[in-house]
Amino acid sequence: MVVQERLFDVDDVWRLAHDPDNENVRFELIDGELFTMVPPGRRHGILAAKISFYLTLFNNEHELGEITIESGYFSADDRHTLLGPDVAFMRYDRLPQPPTEKYVPVMPDLAVEIRSPFDTLAKIRRKAEVYLRRGTTIVWLVLPKQEIVEVWRQDETGQLRSEFLGVGDQLSGQEILPGFELEISLLFPKRQD
């Protein structure tokens, strides 16, 4: 007899996330497989706050969409995958209406994942692929130890491409946030020794 593992969906995650026993646990879901995460550390939080700050400054001036932190996103045609990017941006014209208190039923235009000390590079790259295959246009993988950002996109042939940007480079909003540029050195200031 074959025993099949249970596939979770976004409704299961919503219930788990609101169970008092899971107060300090975050959940994500990829193809029905449930992943738990602990609250991020200090450096991770600082980087998420900085990225959100610069995106918000730009967006306040240009009013292109909304920025979220650690909100859940899923593709409406795939209720078995739910990701919670550290920072995300979604254009107003793609925001589902009416607004929901639950998870957003469309992947963000821009997803930012900051590598935590317990994350493997393979794990966050897999998340980049999941985002891009389900509707996200740009993924920024922030690698704090290396002080670089790996930018992922899907090209016109469907191939996933990445490029590494370091302290001398700038992040671009490309067509999602036209005109947005962020010097990577602002994310990783020089430390006082």
Side-chain angles (χ1 to χ4, degrees), residues 50-68:
K50 284 182 178 184
I51 293 166
S52 176
F53 170 76
Y54 289 116
L55 287 171
T56 299
L57 276 180
F58 182 84
N59 192 53
N60 284 347
E61 185 176 331
H62 297 88
E63 299 181 12
L64 299 172
E66 70 181 26
I67 293 107
T68 58

Side-chain angles (χ1 to χ4, degrees), residues 80-190:
H80 295 284
T81 297
L82 171 77
L83 295 175
D86 295 307
V87 181
F89 171 80
M90 177 153 312
R91 294 187 328 257
Y92 284 132
D93 65 329
R94 291 194 62 233
L95 285 170
Q97 296 300 329
T100 176
E101 291 297 316
K102 291 189 174 184
Y103 305 125
V104 183
V106 63
M107 285 294 186
D109 294 301
L110 166 68
V112 181
E113 289 287 345
I114 301 166
R115 184 179 180 186
S116 297
F118 52 84
D119 284 336
T120 64
L121 197 51
K123 178 182 173 184
I124 65 169
R125 284 180 174 159
R126 178 180 180 208
K127 286 169 77 170
E129 179 179 355
V130 170
Y131 283 116
L132 294 169
R133 299 276 186 222
R134 286 170 175 80
T136 298
T137 303
I138 306 168
V139 179
W140 295 343
L141 300 181
V142 181
L143 310 176
K145 282 187 180 178
Q146 296 86 355
E147 297 189 348
I148 59 174
V149 178
E150 190 174 347
V151 178
W152 283 85
R153 295 184 54 87
Q154 189 170 5
D155 70 17
E156 56 280 343
T157 68
Q159 295 285 73
L160 301 184
R161 305 276 183 215
S162 70
E163 67 175 314
F164 291 94
L165 300 176
V167 172
D169 299 315
Q170 289 187 335
L171 282 170
S172 165
Q174 300 176 25
E175 71 274 13
I176 299 305
L177 290 156
F180 176 81
E181 291 186 344
L182 174 60
E183 291 183 30
I184 293 180
S185 61
L186 295 173
L187 300 177
F188 305 110
K190 292 186 179 186

